[in-house]
Amino acid sequence: MSRPKLIVGNWKMFTTRQSAVELAKAVAAGLKPGSTTRVGVAVPGPWITSVVEAVAGTPVEVGGQNCHFEKEGAFTGETSAGMLKDAGCSFVVIGHSERRHGFGEGDELLNKKLKAALAVDLPVIFCVGELLAEREATQTEAVLDRQLTHGLAGLTAEQLARVVIAYEPVWAIGTGKVATTEQAQAAHAFIRGKVAAIFGENAAAKLLIQYGGSVKADNAAALLHQPDIDGALVGGASLKADSFLAIVHADG
Ligand code: PGA
């Protein structure tokens, strides 16, 4: 089955309001008309409305990088999925390794966040991936199995259609150490197989699975040509329009 490619820039806690607007406009201006590749940017919360305005009328999708699992309440400093949607987001990233490992977000919490986003019909990029020590202990598949089993628990196949999985080996994020195409493809095939076991072959065949971790213009094409790699979640290289657009266009 042919699946569209999805390339998303994760700006993390970088950019100023002005540079964010300029970057978003430059990305939109650099897209090739008629391309089937979908393009998104996950932007810092305070810039969401400015970036949404900057790319209005273009195919660039704007997303949040995290959300709370409650609809509203006394949660100082937090943002709900509904607020992101109201601000113009068309997706939210949940479970990024910097949230899992830097902020101690575990599988059960992430499952609640995922359900909260889907409850307001906000599509999700759900990140999974193993630490270096886990890969070295040949625990990669066990870790992915756990993250998917708990993370996706209680979702219907219909809800899964609003979820993209991003496979991001933690040791490859921001390190310049990209997974080999074989390592990435093997993990993606495992993820698709696991999703097939939970939600059925049809849902798994439609699922988009992005690779993330040191994706650059010079390694993107080889990764994107793997049968189970449907796109990329790009950190560092997404902060410059040229390097991000080179990845967007890497697939031809
Ligand atoms: P990187 O980040 O491309 O800088 O490795 C990827 C990510 O954190 O999603």
Side-chain angles (χ1 to χ4, degrees):
M1 109 127 32
S2 93
R3 293 176 289 264
K5 293 281 193 276
L6 173 62
I7 312 292
V8 171
N10 172 14
W11 295 355
K12 307 191 180 185
M13 200 171 73
F14 293 106
T15 67
T16 62
R17 192 171 72 86
Q18 191 186 341
S19 73
V21 164
E22 285 168 5
L23 177 55
K25 283 188 176 163
V27 167
L31 298 182
K32 287 188 185 155
S35 167
T36 56
T37 300
R38 287 171 51 201
V39 176
V41 288
V43 310
W47 314 155
I48 288 170
T49 48
S50 302
V51 172
V52 166
E53 274 171 32
V55 299
T58 79
V60 175
E61 302 172 33
V62 180
Q65 301 177 3
N66 178 35
C67 68
H68 195 268
F69 60 84
E70 291 287 3
K71 259 181 25 202
E72 61 180 9
F75 301 106
T76 302
E78 293 291 326
T79 304
S80 70
M83 289 171 178
L84 291 178
K85 198 169 167 177
D86 202 5
C89 285
S90 54
F91 69 93
V92 59
V93 177
I94 291 178
H96 189 277
S97 80
E98 286 148 21
R99 302 297 317 173
R100 288 180 185 269
H101 301 293
F103 294 89
E105 297 192 356
D107 295 319
E108 278 71 28
L109 174 72
L110 295 173
N111 177 250
K112 289 201 311 196
K113 292 187 175 201
L114 210 147
K115 285 178 176 158
L118 295 175
V120 294
D121 210 18
L122 183 65
V124 173
I125 296 179
F126 185 64
C127 304
V128 295
E130 81 287 358
L131 297 162
L132 181 59
E134 293 166 336
R135 174 161 285 271
E136 286 174 349
T138 62
Q139 290 299 302
T140 298
E141 292 190 352
V143 169
L144 296 177
D145 192 287
R146 192 202 72 224
Q147 291 175 336
L148 294 168
T149 301
H150 296 284
L152 304 178
L155 266 60
T156 62
E158 201 181 32
Q159 285 178 311
L160 185 82
R162 312 285 278 162
V163 177
V164 168
I165 305 278
Y167 169 62
E168 298 203 296
V170 181
W171 48 273
I173 296 177
T175 58
K177 275 189 220 155
V178 65
T180 65
T181 50
E182 292 77 16
Q183 286 171 325
Q185 166 56 27
H188 282 231
F190 177 82
I191 291 167
R192 201 177 301 285
K194 177 72 191 170
V195 168
I198 308 175
F199 297 96
E201 293 290 342
N202 191 31
K206 289 187 191 144
L207 175 73
L208 299 188
I209 309 176
Q210 297 178 301
Y211 170 81
S214 298
V215 176
K216 304 273 180 290
D218 61 0
N219 58 32
L223 287 161
L224 292 171
H225 287 149
Q226 298 302 307
D228 286 297
I229 300 185
D230 307 310
L233 184 56
V234 185
S238 73
L239 291 170
K240 295 252 177 332
D242 287 357
S243 51
F244 185 60
L245 286 165
I247 295 167
V248 170
H249 297 144
D251 199 40

